[in-house]
Amino acid sequence: RFDLEDQLVRVVIQDVHEGLDPSARGKARYLQVVECHERHMHTKPYAIEVGPDSGFETKTVLGTVPVESDGSAYFRVPAGKSVFFSVLDERRQALHTMRSVTNVQAGERTGCVGCHEPARRAPSGAATLAAKRNPSPIEPPPWGVQPMDFSALIQPVLDKHCTQCHDGANAEGKSFDLTARQ
């Protein structure tokens, strides 16, 4: 029998501020969860297959989870995925983005001390605020859960707000071309 609970991995982070610049302490409000997908680039004469951590993967923002006032977070991610996290402030702007991925498998529970904390740092035995509650579900982004696609997500914003003035024309101030033309 298929059980959805078996397909979700519990993740606990003790304090997202650990390892960040001291000026970021207390500013984290959300953790963005992003899935990385393998990407196939078809070049001649070869087809190059690259994946997470290569810089050539495609990404899907799965959504955000809350960060507690002590910097802790507790949430579930889909099993069998390569994911990374970004620490966001109250305006949902990135304070820090993970530069590698975490691979999670069904039945696992995983966690970390913080974001780029010293490698030999062990978690403290203190209970975190997030661990005192059920894991948070991932709240999808307003545009839905879909791979990042410039033409579908970004170009419409440029078309609405920018291309009227920045259309590549030779006129002064218009030479910067933000249209979808090739």
Side-chain angles (χ1 to χ4, degrees), residues 16-119:
V16 299
H17 300 105
E18 273 300 316
L20 299 185
D21 188 87
S23 65
R25 178 144 303 275
K27 294 182 180 178
R29 296 295 180 269
Y30 306 96
L31 200 64
Q32 180 173 258
V33 182
V34 182
E35 179 183 356
C36 292
H37 309 277
E38 182 177 29
R39 178 176 171 190
H40 299 271
M41 298 184 330
H42 300 284
T43 60
K44 292 182 181 179
Y46 306 105
I48 302 169
E49 296 179 19
V50 294
D53 292 336
S54 69
F56 294 107
E57 71 274 2
T58 55
K59 298 169 179 70
T60 299
V61 175
L62 299 179
T64 57
V65 296
V67 171
E68 301 293 340
S69 60
D70 65 351
S72 63
Y74 183 35
F75 54 98
R76 291 184 276 191
V77 297
K81 307 291 183 186
S82 294
V83 294
F84 70 88
F85 311 116
S86 293
V87 180
L88 307 180
D89 66 12
E90 71 279 352
R91 295 185 319 172
R92 297 182 186 261
Q93 293 183 333
L95 297 170
H96 183 75
T97 296
M98 194 170 160
R99 300 284 180 219
S100 59
V101 297
T102 296
N103 296 295
V104 294
Q105 301 303 321
E108 283 187 332
R109 290 183 182 185
T110 190
C112 62
V113 174
C115 295
H116 293 274
E117 73 281 356

Side-chain angles (χ1 to χ4, degrees), residues 97-162:
T97 296
M98 194 170 160
R99 300 284 180 219
S100 59
V101 297
T102 296
N103 296 295
V104 294
Q105 301 303 321
E108 283 187 332
R109 290 183 182 185
T110 190
C112 62
V113 174
C115 295
H116 293 274
E117 73 281 356
R120 295 178 187 238
R121 176 92 187 260
S124 76
T128 63
L129 292 174
K132 294 178 181 179
R133 59 168 173 74
N134 288 328
S136 299
I138 297 174
E139 182 181 321
W143 59 85
V145 176
Q146 60 181 319
M148 293 297 221
D149 180 349
F150 186 90
S151 62
L153 298 173
I154 308 302
Q155 190 62 49
V157 175
L158 295 175
D159 290 344
K160 182 176 180 180
H161 300 285
C162 307

